[in-house]
Protein backbone atom coordinates (compact mmCIF):
# COMPACT_ATOMS: atom_id res chain seq x y z
CA UNK A 1 0.00 0.00 0.00
CA UNK A 2 1.39 3.46 -0.81
CA UNK A 3 2.17 5.74 2.15
CA UNK A 4 -0.56 8.41 2.53
CA UNK A 5 1.08 11.80 3.11
CA UNK A 6 -0.44 15.09 4.22
CA UNK A 7 1.97 17.58 2.58
CA UNK A 8 1.91 21.09 4.06
CA UNK A 9 3.35 23.76 1.78
CA UNK A 10 2.52 21.60 -1.24
CA UNK A 11 2.50 24.42 -3.77
CA UNK A 12 6.01 25.63 -2.88
CA UNK A 13 9.29 24.66 -4.54
CA UNK A 14 9.89 21.76 -2.16
CA UNK A 15 6.24 20.71 -2.09
CA UNK A 16 6.22 20.40 -5.88
CA UNK A 17 9.52 18.46 -5.82
CA UNK A 18 8.07 15.97 -3.29
CA UNK A 19 4.86 15.55 -5.29
CA UNK A 20 7.05 14.94 -8.37
CA UNK A 21 8.83 11.90 -6.88
CA UNK A 22 6.03 10.60 -4.62
CA UNK A 23 4.76 8.02 -7.15
CA UNK A 24 8.14 6.36 -7.65
CA UNK A 25 8.70 6.33 -3.86
CA UNK A 26 5.43 4.53 -3.13
CA UNK A 27 3.56 7.51 -1.65
CA UNK A 28 0.38 9.44 -2.39
CA UNK A 29 -0.01 13.10 -1.51
CA UNK A 30 -2.87 15.04 0.09
CA UNK A 31 -1.83 18.62 -0.58
CA UNK A 32 -2.37 21.59 1.74
CA UNK A 33 -0.94 25.08 1.42
CA UNK A 34 -1.46 28.62 2.61
CA UNK A 35 -4.43 29.57 0.48
CA UNK A 36 -7.30 28.70 2.81
CA UNK A 37 -6.48 24.98 3.04
CA UNK A 38 -7.18 23.39 6.39
CA UNK A 39 -4.81 20.47 7.12
CA UNK A 40 -7.23 19.22 9.82
CA UNK A 41 -9.56 18.05 7.01
CA UNK A 42 -6.98 15.54 5.73
CA UNK A 43 -5.24 14.45 8.93
CA UNK A 44 -7.47 11.49 9.86
CA UNK A 45 -6.83 9.69 6.56
CA UNK A 46 -3.06 10.18 6.38
CA UNK A 47 -0.22 7.94 7.61
CA UNK A 48 2.29 10.79 8.08
CA UNK A 49 2.52 14.58 7.83
CA UNK A 50 5.33 16.38 5.94
CA UNK A 51 5.96 20.10 6.52
CA UNK A 52 7.81 22.28 4.00
CA UNK A 53 5.94 25.55 4.53
CA UNK A 54 6.94 28.50 6.70
CA UNK A 55 8.40 28.66 10.25
CA UNK A 56 5.22 30.20 11.72
CA UNK A 57 3.12 27.28 10.41
CA UNK A 58 5.08 24.38 11.92
CA UNK A 59 3.90 24.74 15.56
CA UNK A 60 0.19 24.51 14.75
CA UNK A 61 0.79 21.62 12.36
CA UNK A 62 2.73 19.72 15.02
CA UNK A 63 -0.12 20.30 17.51
CA UNK A 64 -2.49 18.77 14.96
CA UNK A 65 -0.13 15.79 14.57
CA UNK A 66 0.07 15.26 18.35
CA UNK A 67 -3.72 15.55 18.76
CA UNK A 68 -4.17 12.85 16.07
CA UNK A 69 -1.12 10.72 17.03
CA UNK A 70 0.39 11.05 13.53
CA UNK A 71 4.13 10.82 12.73
CA UNK A 72 5.70 13.98 11.29
CA UNK A 73 8.62 14.99 9.04
CA UNK A 74 9.65 18.65 9.47
CA UNK A 75 11.74 20.21 6.68
CA UNK A 76 10.87 23.87 7.21
CA UNK A 77 13.80 25.99 8.44
CA UNK A 78 14.25 29.48 9.89
CA UNK A 79 12.39 28.96 13.21
CA UNK A 80 13.11 31.47 15.98
CA UNK A 81 14.60 30.26 19.28
CA UNK A 82 11.12 30.46 20.88
CA UNK A 83 9.53 28.49 18.01
CA UNK A 84 12.27 25.82 18.24
CA UNK A 85 11.67 25.45 21.99
CA UNK A 86 7.93 24.91 21.42
CA UNK A 87 8.61 22.43 18.59
CA UNK A 88 11.04 20.40 20.71
CA UNK A 89 8.43 20.03 23.48
CA UNK A 90 5.75 18.87 21.04
CA UNK A 91 7.94 16.78 18.74
CA UNK A 92 8.82 14.12 21.33
CA UNK A 93 5.13 13.20 21.72
CA UNK A 94 4.90 11.60 18.26
CA UNK A 95 7.54 9.98 16.02
CA UNK A 96 9.13 13.07 14.43
CA UNK A 97 12.07 13.52 12.04
CA UNK A 98 13.20 17.17 12.10
CA UNK A 99 16.10 17.98 9.78
CA UNK A 100 17.45 21.20 8.31
CA UNK A 101 18.67 19.20 5.31
CA UNK A 102 17.42 15.87 3.95
CA UNK A 103 20.23 15.16 1.48
CA UNK A 104 22.43 12.13 2.10
CA UNK A 105 25.56 14.06 1.03
CA UNK A 106 24.90 16.90 3.47
CA UNK A 107 24.35 14.48 6.31
CA UNK A 108 27.73 12.96 5.52
CA UNK A 109 29.14 16.53 5.47
CA UNK A 110 27.84 16.94 9.05
CA UNK A 111 29.76 13.82 10.12
CA UNK A 112 32.94 14.86 8.23
CA UNK A 113 32.79 18.38 9.73
CA UNK A 114 32.60 16.96 13.24
CA UNK A 115 35.61 14.73 12.56
CA UNK A 116 37.65 17.54 10.94
CA UNK A 117 36.89 20.01 13.75
CA UNK A 118 37.92 17.42 16.36
CA UNK A 119 41.16 16.42 14.59
CA UNK A 120 42.29 19.90 13.50
CA UNK A 121 41.52 21.70 16.77
CA UNK A 122 41.88 25.36 17.68
CA UNK A 123 44.96 26.03 15.46
CA UNK A 124 42.66 26.03 12.44
CA UNK A 125 40.33 28.99 11.80
CA UNK A 126 36.84 27.84 10.81
CA UNK A 127 34.48 29.68 8.48
CA UNK A 128 31.16 28.50 7.04
CA UNK A 129 30.02 29.86 3.68
CA UNK A 130 26.63 29.08 2.17
CA UNK A 131 24.86 30.17 -1.02
CA UNK A 132 21.20 29.90 -1.96
CA UNK A 133 18.73 31.23 -4.55
CA UNK A 134 17.49 34.80 -4.37
CA UNK A 135 14.05 33.74 -3.04
CA UNK A 136 15.29 32.17 0.21
CA UNK A 137 13.71 33.84 3.25
CA UNK A 138 16.08 32.95 6.09
CA UNK A 139 19.83 33.30 6.68
CA UNK A 140 22.08 31.61 7.49
CA UNK A 141 20.45 28.45 6.12
CA UNK A 142 19.23 25.69 8.44
CA UNK A 143 22.10 23.53 7.13
CA UNK A 144 24.68 26.21 7.91
CA UNK A 145 23.13 26.59 11.37
CA UNK A 146 23.57 22.84 11.97
CA UNK A 147 27.19 22.92 10.72
CA UNK A 148 27.87 25.80 13.12
CA UNK A 149 26.29 23.91 16.04
CA UNK A 150 28.59 20.94 15.31
CA UNK A 151 31.69 23.18 15.12
CA UNK A 152 30.77 25.02 18.34
CA UNK A 153 30.21 21.68 20.12
CA UNK A 154 33.57 20.25 19.00
CA UNK A 155 35.48 23.48 19.76
CA UNK A 156 33.62 23.92 23.10
CA UNK A 157 32.47 27.42 22.13
CA UNK A 158 29.13 29.21 22.55
CA UNK A 159 27.06 31.11 20.00
CA UNK A 160 28.95 34.26 21.08
CA UNK A 161 31.85 33.00 18.95
CA UNK A 162 29.83 33.37 15.72
CA UNK A 163 30.87 36.24 13.47
CA UNK A 164 28.21 37.00 10.83
CA UNK A 165 30.08 38.65 7.95
CA UNK A 166 32.79 41.26 8.41
CA UNK A 167 32.86 44.93 7.60
CA UNK A 168 34.98 47.94 8.52
CA UNK A 169 38.04 47.93 10.73
CA UNK A 170 37.57 44.45 12.16
CA UNK A 171 41.08 43.92 13.56
CA UNK A 172 42.87 40.59 13.45
CA UNK A 173 40.80 37.45 13.42
CA UNK A 174 40.57 35.81 16.85
CA UNK A 175 41.15 32.04 16.96
CA UNK A 176 37.89 31.67 18.91
CA UNK A 177 35.83 33.24 16.10
CA UNK A 178 33.70 31.12 13.78
CA UNK A 179 32.84 33.10 10.65
CA UNK A 180 29.46 32.76 8.89
CA UNK A 181 28.71 34.11 5.42
CA UNK A 182 25.39 33.83 3.56
CA UNK A 183 25.47 34.52 -0.19
CA UNK A 184 22.18 34.95 -2.09
CA UNK A 185 21.56 34.98 -5.82
CA UNK A 186 20.00 33.43 -8.88
CA UNK A 187 18.63 29.91 -8.73
CA UNK A 188 21.31 28.18 -6.60
CA UNK A 189 19.59 25.23 -4.89
CA UNK A 190 22.09 25.13 -2.00
CA UNK A 191 25.88 25.15 -1.49
CA UNK A 192 27.78 24.82 1.80
CA UNK A 193 31.52 25.01 2.45
CA UNK A 194 33.24 24.49 5.78
CA UNK A 195 36.71 25.96 5.59
CA UNK A 196 39.53 25.11 8.03
CA UNK A 197 42.54 27.41 7.56
CA UNK A 198 45.91 27.27 9.35
CA UNK A 199 49.28 28.88 8.60
CA UNK A 200 50.43 26.81 5.64
CA UNK A 201 47.37 24.78 4.70
CA UNK A 202 43.63 24.93 4.16
CA UNK A 203 41.00 22.21 4.10
CA UNK A 204 37.62 22.85 2.48
CA UNK A 205 34.63 20.52 2.72
CA UNK A 206 32.01 21.47 0.12
CA UNK A 207 28.58 20.14 -0.76
CA UNK A 208 26.66 21.39 -3.80
CA UNK A 209 23.01 20.55 -4.31
CA UNK A 210 22.06 20.62 -7.97
CA UNK A 211 18.41 19.64 -7.72
CA UNK A 212 15.72 19.78 -5.02
CA UNK A 213 14.93 16.16 -5.80
CA UNK A 214 17.67 15.12 -3.33
CA UNK A 215 15.78 16.78 -0.45
CA UNK A 216 12.44 15.45 -1.73
CA UNK A 217 13.72 11.84 -1.88
CA UNK A 218 15.32 12.24 1.57
CA UNK A 219 12.09 13.59 3.08
CA UNK A 220 10.09 10.70 1.60
CA UNK A 221 12.70 8.20 2.84
CA UNK A 222 12.31 9.81 6.30
CA UNK A 223 8.50 9.52 6.01
CA UNK A 224 8.68 5.76 5.24
CA UNK A 225 11.11 5.36 8.20
CA UNK A 226 9.30 7.48 10.79
CA UNK A 227 5.97 5.61 10.55
CA UNK A 228 7.78 2.55 12.02
CA UNK A 229 9.33 4.43 14.97
CA UNK A 230 8.29 5.02 18.59
CA UNK A 231 7.41 8.61 19.63
CA UNK A 232 10.57 10.72 19.88
CA UNK A 233 12.58 13.38 18.12
CA UNK A 234 14.89 12.06 15.38
CA UNK A 235 17.04 13.63 12.67
CA UNK A 236 18.23 12.51 9.24
CA UNK A 237 21.37 10.98 10.78
CA UNK A 238 19.04 8.48 12.54
CA UNK A 239 17.15 7.75 9.30
CA UNK A 240 20.43 7.05 7.46
CA UNK A 241 21.96 5.08 10.33
CA UNK A 242 24.86 7.57 10.66
CA UNK A 243 24.49 7.90 14.45
P1 LIG B 1 8.42 28.13 -0.96
O1 LIG B 1 8.26 29.56 -0.54
O2 LIG B 1 8.61 27.83 -2.42
O3 LIG B 1 7.16 27.27 -0.48
C1 LIG B 1 6.54 27.39 0.76
C2 LIG B 1 5.06 27.04 0.59
O4 LIG B 1 4.47 27.06 1.90
C3 LIG B 1 4.30 28.05 -0.27
O5 LIG B 1 3.51 27.35 -1.23
C4 LIG B 1 3.42 28.79 0.72
O6 LIG B 1 2.14 29.16 0.17
C5 LIG B 1 3.24 27.75 1.82
N1 LIG B 1 2.97 28.35 3.12
C6 LIG B 1 3.47 29.49 3.65
N2 LIG B 1 2.92 29.74 4.86
C7 LIG B 1 2.07 28.71 5.10
C8 LIG B 1 1.20 28.39 6.18
N3 LIG B 1 1.10 29.21 7.24
N4 LIG B 1 0.49 27.26 6.09
C9 LIG B 1 0.58 26.44 5.03
N5 LIG B 1 1.37 26.70 3.96
C10 LIG B 1 2.11 27.82 4.01
O7 LIG B 1 9.62 27.56 -0.10
P2 LIG B 1 10.48 26.24 -0.36
O8 LIG B 1 11.71 26.57 -1.12
O9 LIG B 1 9.58 25.15 -0.84
O10 LIG B 1 10.95 25.91 1.13
C11 LIG B 1 10.02 25.67 2.17
C12 LIG B 1 10.78 25.50 3.48
O11 LIG B 1 11.59 24.34 3.41
C13 LIG B 1 11.74 26.65 3.81
O12 LIG B 1 11.74 26.86 5.20
C14 LIG B 1 13.08 26.14 3.32
O13 LIG B 1 14.18 26.75 3.96
C15 LIG B 1 12.95 24.68 3.71
N6 LIG B 1 13.82 23.75 2.99
C16 LIG B 1 14.29 22.71 3.70
C17 LIG B 1 15.06 21.74 3.09
C18 LIG B 1 15.49 20.55 3.90
O14 LIG B 1 16.16 19.64 3.35
N7 LIG B 1 15.14 20.49 5.19
C19 LIG B 1 15.37 21.84 1.72
C20 LIG B 1 14.86 22.93 1.01
C21 LIG B 1 14.07 23.87 1.66
Amino acid sequence: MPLKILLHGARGRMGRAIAGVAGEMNAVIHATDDAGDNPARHVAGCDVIIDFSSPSATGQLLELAVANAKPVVIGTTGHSAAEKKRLRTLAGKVPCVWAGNFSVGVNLLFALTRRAAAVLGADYDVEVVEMHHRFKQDAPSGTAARLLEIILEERKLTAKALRHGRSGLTGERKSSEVGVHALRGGDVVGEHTVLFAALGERLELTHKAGDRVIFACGALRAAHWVVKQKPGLYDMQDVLGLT
Side-chain angles (χ1 to χ4, degrees), residues 17-84:
I18 290 171
V21 291
E24 64 202 66
M25 291 197 63
N26 198 26
V28 288
I29 302 291
H30 297 279
T32 61
D33 202 272
D34 207 10
D37 286 336
N38 182 3
R41 280 194 300 139
H42 301 283
V43 73
C46 78
D47 300 315
V48 57
I49 297 171
I50 299 185
D51 175 42
F52 277 90
S53 58
S54 81
S56 59
T58 311
Q60 225 178 341
L61 192 67
L62 201 46
E63 273 173 8
L64 183 71
V66 171
N68 290 273
K70 297 289 181 183
V72 192
V73 173
I74 301 173
T76 304
T77 65
H79 301 101
S80 67
E83 284 169 337
K84 279 186 186 160

Side-chain angles (χ1 to χ4, degrees), residues 25 97-99 101-111 207 214-226 229 234-243:
M25 291 197 63
V97 177
W98 182 7
N101 196 306
F102 281 93
S103 110
V104 175
V106 161
N107 281 276
L108 188 57
L109 175 67
F110 292 151
H207 178 271
I214 59 167
F215 309 126
C217 290
L220 286 168
R221 188 165 165 176
H224 279 284
W225 182 86
V226 78
Q229 306 308 315
Y234 306 95
D235 66 18
M236 200 54 189
Q237 308 272 309
D238 298 307
V239 176
L240 297 173
L242 286 170
T243 40

Side-chain angles (χ1 to χ4, degrees), residues 5 18 65 153:
I5 292 172
I18 290 171
E153 275 166 32

